[in-house]
Amino acid sequence: MKPFSLFIVLCCLAVSAQAAPASYELENTEVRDIRAQALKRDYQLYVALPDSYRQGNKRYPVLFVVDANYSFAIVRNIAQRLNKHAGMEEVVVVGLSYANGDGGVYSRRRDYTPTTPRKHDYRSDMPGRQPAFGEAKAYGQFISGEVFPFIAQQYRVNMQRKVFIGHSYGSLLGLQFLLTQPRTFEHYILGSPSLWYDAGVMFDREQAYAASHKDLPASVFFGIGGLEKLAAGKKRSRSEEDADMVADLREFDGKLKSRKFPGLTTRLRVFEDEDHASVFPFVLTHGLRAYLTSAK
């Protein structure tokens, strides 16, 4: 290539690089790396701080949200909007990422589910690796044993006002906490829990808990889309393919209420005309209102 031609090419590349658009960034947010020692995996924590964070020494309620790769920005923005326009108290939001190097489907199936399903034909989204399931207990110990101390040390948060936020498989993880160590969080926001999973294993877990405990100290907000039910003519079952998620959640909430645990408060809201993909912002908004205080 002639020197002049090379000069033109380099100039074009330089102009192209300079003209590349900047990425959009969320204000007052941070990304922190964290090693899950027992799991031997690396994750990231996405942290959103309220506008007033650097203006004093106040400690804030803290929202822990799983599936953070899609849900963190939603939770951060809705919490901020509720504060600015509805007077709801400010919060710190902590999003828990999928494991570094893992596909999102692979990571959440493994980390959020309580068991390996007895019958399944799932395919892995990671070539060369078989699907993994059933590590919710170990992943939950990572949250309570490693994430909590890190956040408590690094940020001004009120660790006596922790909120768990999950949807779908993420709500299965929330139920894992609820039915093993309910005091891990002071409030649970559980959207569209996959109660069909492993032939309804969480119904068995709830029954076993009730048989051996006299109380379940927790505040829980359940939400689901009114369209998350069977098509007309299909029969409800406990199989993955024929799940009536609305009926499942009504039944599960009914069982919890029937135990008359003195320390348990549950609320269930069905959002008509919403489906599994669209309902999360509604569940989040009403779940936050069920716990956080508002000046308006």
Side-chain angles (χ1 to χ4, degrees):
M1 181 177 292
K2 295 181 179 180
F4 181 74
S5 298
L6 178 59
F7 174 76
I8 294 297
V9 170
L10 292 175
C11 286
C12 290
L13 290 174
V15 171
S16 177
Q18 292 175 0
S23 299
Y24 178 80
E25 296 183 2
L26 296 174
E27 293 180 348
N28 297 326
T29 62
E30 301 175 355
V31 178
R32 310 296 291 264
D33 296 318
I34 186 168
R35 175 75 172 174
Q37 297 296 335
L39 301 178
K40 297 181 172 57
R41 293 193 288 268
D42 294 308
Y43 295 85
Q44 289 184 318
L45 303 177
Y46 311 150
V47 182
L49 302 175
D51 291 342
S52 67
Y53 186 81
R54 292 180 175 85
Q55 299 172 5
N57 56 10
K58 176 182 176 180
R59 293 188 175 273
Y60 299 84
V62 54
L63 316 182
F64 291 89
V65 55
V66 294
D67 282 313
N69 298 54
Y70 80 85
S71 62
F72 171 73
I74 298 173
V75 175
R76 178 260 186 193
N77 291 346
I78 288 179
Q80 185 181 79
R81 187 168 181 82
L82 288 173
N83 167 253
K84 290 183 176 181
H85 300 287
M88 190 167 289
E89 60 186 312
E90 291 181 299
V91 297
V92 170
V93 180
V94 178
L96 294 103
S97 79
Y98 302 129
N100 294 354
D102 286 352
V105 173
Y106 188 94
S107 185
R108 70 195 302 268
R109 278 179 179 169
R110 177 194 59 217
D111 292 345
Y112 301 171
T113 59
T115 56
T116 297
R118 286 158 279 190
K119 295 181 180 180
H120 74 84
D121 58 357
Y122 296 103
R123 294 182 180 181
S124 175
D125 66 329
M126 300 191 67
R129 295 174 66 179
Q130 292 296 314
F133 304 91
E135 295 190 21
K137 179 180 179 180
Y139 183 73
Q141 290 171 342
F142 158 62
I143 292 176
S144 60
E146 297 180 72
V147 174
F148 282 5
F150 179 86
I151 294 298
Q153 181 181 35
Q154 297 294 324
Y155 299 98
R156 292 198 322 276
V157 293
N158 182 349
M159 294 300 284
Q160 303 304 311
R161 299 191 67 199
K162 302 182 299 298
V163 179
F164 178 93
I165 301 171
H167 182 254
S168 195
Y169 273 12
S171 289
L172 280 184
L173 178 63
L175 291 175
Q176 170 73 26
F177 282 116
L178 185 69
L179 297 176
T180 55
Q181 300 290 332
R183 293 184 186 275
T184 304
F185 296 90
E186 283 65 52
H187 185 58
Y188 294 82
I189 300 174
L190 304 180
S192 307
S194 302
L195 289 165
W196 50 261
Y197 183 81
D198 194 12
V201 66
M202 278 303 178
F203 286 93
D204 300 333
R205 295 280 182 91
E206 188 279 333
Q207 184 174 2
Y209 182 94
S212 57
H213 294 78
K214 294 183 178 180
D215 196 11
L216 200 170
S219 167
V220 186
F221 182 90
F222 289 120
I224 195 165
L227 301 179
E228 297 186 70
K229 54 189 177 183
L230 288 173
K234 286 200 171 185
K235 185 178 180 181
R236 183 185 175 208
S237 75
R238 286 274 185 256
S239 73
E240 286 83 349
E241 298 301 323
D242 297 310
D244 187 328
M245 295 182 66
V246 175
D248 281 351
L249 186 54
R250 289 189 187 280
E251 180 182 343
F252 192 84
D253 182 60
K255 286 183 179 296
L256 288 175
K257 284 183 167 64
S258 73
R259 310 301 184 188
K260 300 189 183 305
F261 293 124
L264 176 65
T265 300
T266 73
R267 282 150 286 193
L268 169 59
R269 178 76 180 267
V270 178
F271 297 91
E272 300 300 335
D273 301 322
E274 304 301 332
D275 59 23
H276 197 71
S278 67
V279 76
F280 178 65
F282 297 91
V283 177
L284 172 66
T285 298
H286 288 264
L288 291 176
R289 284 175 169 165
Y291 179 70
L292 298 177
T293 61
S294 176
K296 294 184 180 181

